[in-house]
Amino acid sequence: MERSQGEAKEPPNREGIAAIARCYQGFDPAMYLRYNYTPPRADFTRTDSIVPWKLACLHQAFTEGDMTGETLVDVGSGPTLYQVLSGCEVFGRVVLTDFLEANRRELQRWLAGEQGSFDWTPYLQHVCQLEGRSPSAWREKAARLRSVVTEVLPIDVHQPCPLPPGSLPASGADCLVSSFCLESVSPDVASFTAALRRMGSLLRPGGHVLLIGALGESYYMAAPNVRIPVVPLDEAQVCSSLKVSGLSLLRLCVYTLPPDMRVGVDDVSGIFFVKARKP
Ligand SMILES: C[S@@+](CC[C@H](N)C(=O)[O-])C[C@H]1O[C@@H](n2cnc3c(N)ncnc32)[C@H](O)[C@@H]1O
């Protein structure tokens, strides 16, 4: 039988994984936020801006009524919170995770309401509007998010047990979200698929995965002189990796970057949004 891409039982590319981990030591949370989470990529007056597209996909997925349970885990949160702004209304426990202490600290700063932490207000206002609420309800949403985030944990998707032992219920999380993580920590498609399979092992049967990621990207800048290699993916590879990982695809949406979203901080050509379920 022919093996789908990424399924080959090659030994893990430990050298490639270690080289990427070294690149991440130069990751600057503030620069990363500036490059990707300010206009034009986060322009709430435009529906063709990247962030409003992602928020609309997340809102739709979380309001279809099929995602239930208590625990949502966000895999590779980085310094960002936009990816859990819809999910925090559905799940009573949200676990944020990242490989880097600098990113976990950045998240803790916002959770603690520290001055000078990134301003997620326009994001909160926008998601309130998607939910049919007034943008002025953003303070309630911020309070809800702060109350349901119970932990910000270290994670390594290349380890057999990515999270510290005992972090999750024995049956697994009810929902996983992951955005722009797996393809940007994996040296090749086989490593991406292995990381996806490992991530799927954190999920209970019947639970859902929302995966957002880059298409056709070979690098992104994580600080002025820090270039992180990315495994370039296409839609077929994403579908194949989901299948190999035992996840059933429910929906795949694709966004193509308009020319003015190509701002010189990466070579991404598109973005995929996947809703999948563990049978
Ligand atoms: C491109 S950023 C994505 C951040 C955020 N989720 C977003 O949507 O912008 C990739 C994240 O993966 C994290 N990371 C690096 N190596 C990792 C690993 N081995 N396991 C899990 N996450 C890792 C990085 O620290 C970084 O925050």
Side-chain angles (χ1 to χ4, degrees):
M1 199 180 82
E2 200 185 313
R3 274 190 168 144
S4 30
Q5 218 165 356
E7 195 182 2
K9 296 276 180 265
E10 307 155 5
N13 181 349
R14 290 195 203 291
E15 252 174 51
I17 289 170
I20 294 179
R22 282 194 295 278
C23 292
Y24 269 99
Q25 297 316 307
F27 187 102
D28 180 335
M31 294 309 290
Y32 178 76
L33 286 164
R34 188 189 301 170
Y35 293 159
N36 295 290
Y37 296 100
T38 60
R41 291 188 165 189
D43 182 342
F44 296 100
T45 64
R46 289 174 56 174
T47 50
D48 67 343
S49 171
I50 297 177
V51 166
W53 182 82
K54 289 190 285 185
L55 293 177
C57 291
L58 287 159
H59 169 72
Q60 185 191 2
F62 278 111
T63 51
E64 286 171 318
D66 55 346
M67 297 172 71
T68 54
E70 178 64 11
T71 307
L72 180 161
V73 178
D74 179 36
V75 172
S77 305
T80 71
L81 286 161
Y82 71 90
Q83 65 277 19
V84 292
L85 296 185
S86 292
C88 74
E89 303 291 343
V90 178
F91 292 89
R93 179 187 175 206
V94 172
V95 179
L96 304 176
T97 69
D98 202 70
F99 182 70
L100 292 177
E101 208 204 325
N103 283 335
R104 299 195 298 272
R105 212 181 312 122
E106 186 65 32
L107 296 170
Q108 296 282 17
R109 289 179 66 209
W110 186 86
L111 291 168
E114 267 183 42
Q115 285 262 321
S117 59
F118 190 75
D119 184 10
W120 293 104
T121 309
Y123 289 71
L124 291 156
Q125 290 171 330
H126 186 79
V127 179
C128 282
Q129 279 182 297
L130 292 176
E131 290 168 357
R133 297 198 265 170
S134 158
S136 63
W138 72 269
R139 282 196 178 81
E140 287 154 40
K141 181 176 267 302
R144 165 80 190 174
L145 181 58
R146 288 187 169 110
S147 74
V148 296
V149 173
T150 53
E151 293 118 307
V152 182
L153 297 177
I155 190 163
D156 184 347
V157 293
H158 299 305
Q159 295 301 319
C161 297
L163 287 171
S167 308
L168 296 181
S171 52
D174 300 298
C175 174
L176 300 177
V177 174
S178 187
S179 49
F180 302 98
C181 176
L182 303 184
E183 70 278 16
S184 68
V185 305
S186 303
D188 47 43
V189 176
S191 308
F192 169 85
T193 307
L196 181 61
R197 192 190 291 124
R198 222 165 278 126
M199 189 178 107
S201 73
L202 302 174
L203 189 65
R204 70 160 165 85
H208 288 82
V209 182
L210 302 181
L211 194 64
I212 303 179
L215 293 170
E217 186 176 53
S218 70
Y219 77 93
Y220 77 94
M221 302 305 291
N225 294 310
V226 180
R227 195 180 160 104
I228 310 249
V230 179
V231 56
L233 297 174
D234 61 31
E235 288 125 277
Q237 281 160 343
V238 174
C239 293
S240 164
S241 296
L242 285 164
K243 199 168 166 200
V244 171
S245 305
L247 296 166
S248 308
L249 180 66
L250 300 176
R251 181 163 62 247
L252 171 71
C253 305
V254 171
Y255 167 95
T256 303
L257 263 78
D260 67 338
M261 295 290 151
R262 300 172 197 242
V263 291
V265 296
D266 53 42
D267 63 350
V268 66
S269 60
I271 297 173
F272 66 87
F273 177 89
V274 157
K275 183 172 185 177
R277 187 174 173 275
K278 186 168 176 173

